[in-house]
Amino acid sequence: MALRQLKTPSTRRQAALLLFACSTSLFLLLVWDYRLLPSHTRDTPTSFALQRTSEVQWPPQVPALLQQQQQRLSRDHDVSVDLSSARAPFIVWPLRRVCAETTYVPGLTFLCDNNSGGPGNIRNYILTCIRYAVDAGATALVLPRIRTRSPSDPANLFRDYQPFGYMFDEAHFRQAMADACPRIAVYASVGDVPGARKKAQREGRTVDKIVERVTPKHFGGSRAGCDPRDPHRYTDQFGPTFREWVRSSAAERGWAPSNDVDNPRLIRFSWGVLWDWPVYRDGPEFAATFGGLLRIRDDILDIADVVVASMRMLAASTRGTESAAGQSFLGIHLRTEADALSQWPSYENQTKNYLREAASRGYQGRAAYLASGNETETRRFGKEAMAALELDVKSKYDLLDGHADELKKLKALSWDQQALVDFAVLLNCDYFVGVSPSSFSINVAIKRHLKEEGLYTRPWKVGGRGDGRSWLVGRYDRYWEDWLFMFDGMWP
């Protein structure tokens, strides 16, 4: 009898634990059934689960557990996203984490518009500037403008400015920034920044004249002896050093501390800040997703979709090989336009290597898409590819024959806007060959590189045989002279 009495408390504890486990399981089933744990989409704010649970007086630890569970579910979903797609959704949490770690300076405003060149350069300048702005503690951005090149002279890169929507989706950018960095406001123009006009009036200058120009590599440790093109080796020190400069420079000039009411501090980077930030410094998940801030305009992507569909139809009509069958097509970037630098691989060098790679990948008698801004050499390459490999080479204009509406829209686009069509099409090809150090080719290759590993993508192996999806012809012997620093500072 005494033995049974000794066991009774233990039995009761076991029963209580069993009852608690059953209750917990029932609770989780109810939570799932009533969609307290929705999947994270653009239409479902992250805080939705907590908003619903706040209506019920759960124990204090329950909302936190639900939030953790939702974050795990969201991240599990993020792993399956094809980040190599031009239409990939923006995965917000890596940037949100970085924004939550910074020290904000009221009124500190960045203008990321001192850019120039083609889409690869424009895109990387804006992204790099924003990354610095976050680390500096900016509380505002002016929606970046895009500097265009001369329509008659592609080598003339410094013409008029166009709005952000010239290349990118403004609504997507604003929403992504609001979701990731709610303390950073985005203003349409510098004149809209609170206090900017009043400050300019006080100083008797125009608003643009009160914008200060800085070079980010001047903040941090010494870089004595380094090539000026070297990536910024002191990004960990940039934020604190820059904020101290904001404080001390204001004190030296007798200025009041900046604020977001009537005394902003307006910052513009010097020209050429393209490849400064080592993109993997914040981890592979940040490097893989940050570029998603800048999504190509939907109407441009729509044209690219029609081109891709036409290209796949053409590929399906050609004779297949063991390694390239069905709708598989080759993508090629021929970089020989007027603004190409003389030390880059020549037309002959590119052509020889592209055709050799096409043959080794089984594209004899198949179809290829060629992206080039040089019509003469596009036709020349097509003839040589047909003669050597019976490779049927098409451009976006060829593939829109019979699509009058899309062809009309394509012709209405500028040279660089049409390059965005090429960019989106090349992301969809089954194998890509391009040239280093073209920022366009490199951007295509490393964006395609995200296909297999997604959030956990490791850096592109520079100078090797590519990743099985892309390959770049070029020289890889000298870090600065061969522009290999671009691989360290290019956002996928």
Side-chain angles (χ1 to χ4, degrees):
M1 185 68 175
L3 183 60
R4 291 183 63 185
Q5 288 176 345
L6 286 171
K7 286 186 175 181
T8 300
S10 174
T11 303
R12 288 175 179 171
R13 283 196 297 270
Q14 290 174 1
L17 288 171
L18 181 61
L19 180 61
F20 175 77
C22 292
S23 301
T24 302
S25 300
L26 180 60
F27 168 72
L28 291 175
L29 286 172
L30 288 171
V31 165
W32 186 266
D33 185 56
Y34 284 94
R35 296 184 179 274
L36 290 175
L37 294 173
S39 61
H40 182 58
T41 66
R42 291 179 60 186
D43 299 322
T44 306
T46 305
S47 59
F48 179 79
L50 296 181
Q51 290 171 356
R52 288 287 304 273
T53 55
S54 66
E55 299 170 6
V56 183
Q57 296 302 312
W58 300 114
Q61 68 272 23
V62 171
L65 290 172
L66 290 175
Q67 185 179 42
Q68 292 173 9
Q69 177 67 9
Q70 184 183 17
Q71 289 174 347
R72 284 195 293 270
L73 289 170
S74 177
R75 294 188 185 188
D76 288 345
H77 173 266
D78 293 343
V79 171
S80 65
V81 172
D82 180 7
L83 294 174
S84 71
S85 170
R87 294 188 185 273
F90 180 63
I91 296 177
V92 69
W93 64 264
L95 177 56
R96 178 184 290 151
R97 181 176 61 185
V98 170
C99 284
E101 294 170 348
T102 197
T103 301
Y104 288 95
V105 180
L108 181 59
T109 304
F110 272 59
L111 290 80
C112 298
D113 59 3
N114 198 8
N115 50 62
S116 65
N121 287 11
I122 296 286
R123 179 179 182 273
N124 222 69
Y125 183 97
I126 293 174
L127 289 169
T128 299
C129 178
I130 293 172
R131 181 62 191 89
Y132 272 114
V134 170
D135 226 48
T139 55
L141 293 172
V142 175
L143 191 66
R145 299 178 298 166
I146 295 171
R147 183 174 284 158
T148 60
R149 69 175 84 220
S150 167
S152 58
D153 179 13
N156 182 356
L157 305 177
F158 302 96
R159 292 295 298 269
D160 298 332
Y161 275 103
Q162 291 288 343
F164 182 83
Y166 177 74
M167 287 187 176
F168 305 114
D169 185 333
E170 179 180 339
H172 169 82
F173 175 75
R174 286 182 175 276
Q175 186 62 57
M177 285 299 302
D179 289 344
C181 309
R183 294 190 61 182
I184 301 179
V186 179
Y187 295 103
S189 70
V190 66
D192 294 330
V193 176
R197 294 187 187 278
K198 290 183 178 180
K199 182 176 181 179
Q201 289 174 355
R202 288 197 303 268
E203 298 182 11
R205 297 188 289 173
T206 63
V207 172
D208 199 59
K209 293 297 183 182
I210 65 170
V211 178
E212 302 170 72
R213 185 166 296 189
V214 301
T215 301
K217 285 180 182 176
H218 293 169
F219 298 90
S222 170
R223 299 178 61 255
C226 288
D227 188 288
R229 296 167 292 183
D230 196 42
H232 195 174
R233 302 298 184 182
Y234 295 95
T235 51
D236 290 350
Q237 300 177 29
F238 172 78
T241 306
F242 188 84
R243 287 188 289 275
E244 173 56 26
W245 171 79
V246 170
R247 185 202 63 79
S248 61
S249 59
E252 290 172 2
R253 301 169 192 177
W255 294 354
S258 65
N259 63 60
D260 52 12
V261 178
D262 61 1
N263 189 34
R265 197 77 183 263
L266 307 176
I267 303 297
R268 174 180 283 132
F269 279 169
S270 15
W271 179 82
V273 182
L274 278 85
W275 325 110
D276 294 34
W277 191 281
V279 297
Y280 275 86
R281 188 65 187 160
D282 300 299
E285 67 282 354
F286 190 93
T289 57
F290 186 54
L293 278 175
L294 303 185
R295 179 181 290 171
I296 299 172
R297 280 171 27 184
D298 277 343
D299 60 327
I300 293 177
L301 293 180
D302 290 343
I303 297 172
D305 287 345
V306 175
V307 173
V308 171
S310 297
M311 192 67 215
R312 294 215 177 276
M313 287 182 63
L314 172 65
S317 69
T318 62
R319 61 181 176 85
T321 64
E322 183 177 346
S323 55
Q327 295 184 330
S328 171
F329 71 93
L330 177 68
I332 302 169
H333 178 217
L334 183 64
R335 185 66 169 94
T336 58
E337 295 87 353
D339 62 328
L341 300 182
S342 58
Q343 64 267 35
W344 291 2
S346 64
Y347 168 85
E348 289 75 18
N349 192 344
Q350 291 179 55
T351 300
K352 177 183 68 176
N353 283 281
Y354 290 165
L355 294 181
R356 182 177 61 192
E357 188 71 8
S360 71
R361 291 284 170 174
Y363 281 96
Q364 304 94 323
R366 300 288 294 161
Y369 178 82
L370 181 65
S372 174
N374 188 321
E375 293 184 15
T376 301
E377 294 194 341
T378 294
R379 291 191 294 270
R380 178 184 174 189
F381 181 89
K383 291 177 181 178
E384 294 182 17
M386 179 58 71
L389 298 177
E390 295 184 355
L391 183 63
D392 191 2
V393 176
K394 299 295 184 184
S395 71
K396 51 188 173 291
Y397 279 93
D398 299 326
L399 294 162
L400 289 179
D401 187 24
H403 298 273
D405 290 344
E406 286 75 17
L407 185 59
K408 181 179 179 181
K409 293 175 183 176
L410 177 66
K411 290 180 176 179
L413 298 177
S414 71
W415 200 64
D416 285 313
Q417 288 173 320
Q418 291 190 24
L420 289 172
V421 175
D422 287 328
F423 184 85
V425 173
L426 292 172
L427 292 181
N428 283 276
C429 69
D430 297 274
Y431 191 74
F432 169 68
V433 289
V435 59
S436 177
S438 161
S439 62
F440 182 92
S441 279
I442 295 173
N443 207 175
V444 170
I446 65 173
K447 181 74 171 174
R448 289 171 54 83
H449 187 54
L450 300 176
K451 176 80 172 178
E452 301 300 328
E453 295 182 319
L455 285 174
Y456 306 108
T457 299
R458 292 164 290 175
W460 171 274
K461 293 189 181 298
V462 180
R465 291 302 307 165
D467 60 356
R469 303 195 74 238
S470 308
W471 176 72
L472 301 175
V473 61
R475 294 190 59 177
Y476 300 96
D477 305 308
R478 302 164 300 173
Y479 184 75
W480 292 306
E481 290 78 0
D482 295 331
W483 296 46
L484 304 186
F485 53 86
M486 292 169 62
F487 289 90
D488 291 327
M490 173 78 78
W491 298 101

